[in-house]
Amino acid sequence: MTTTGSLDRAVADPIGLIADLVADTESELGSETIRTVVTAVAGGRAKSRNLAKSWRRGLPS
């Protein structure tokens, strides 16, 4: 289920949202490690926003 707040965060802080979603499932990884990897692979601002929105909706595999 997607909430308005998570969609707003997908626009305002897409890297942070993706990092938090990864941290929820990969608890053994440190938050800085996750953020570094997400930043490296998520691309630019528009791409990371779209990725965060899709991920929050449960679309990426």
Side-chain angles (χ1 to χ4, degrees), residues 9 15-35 38 55:
R9 187 165 176 216
I15 299 297
L17 177 58
I18 295 167
D20 286 350
L21 292 171
V22 172
D24 286 346
T25 58
E26 299 293 339
S27 58
E28 68 277 355
L29 295 174
S31 60
E32 284 303 313
T33 300
I34 294 170
R35 185 174 279 277
V38 169
W55 198 324

Side-chain angles (χ1 to χ4, degrees), residues 2 7 52-60:
T2 304
L7 286 178
K53 287 178 189 177
S54 296
W55 198 324
R56 190 65 195 137
R57 291 182 182 124
L59 297 178

Side-chain angles (χ1 to χ4, degrees), residues 33-57:
T33 300
I34 294 170
R35 185 174 279 277
T36 299
V37 172
V38 169
T39 300
V41 299
R45 189 87 172 148
K47 183 178 174 183
S48 63
R49 284 179 179 167
N50 287 333
L51 179 61
K53 287 178 189 177
S54 296
W55 198 324
R56 190 65 195 137
R57 291 182 182 124

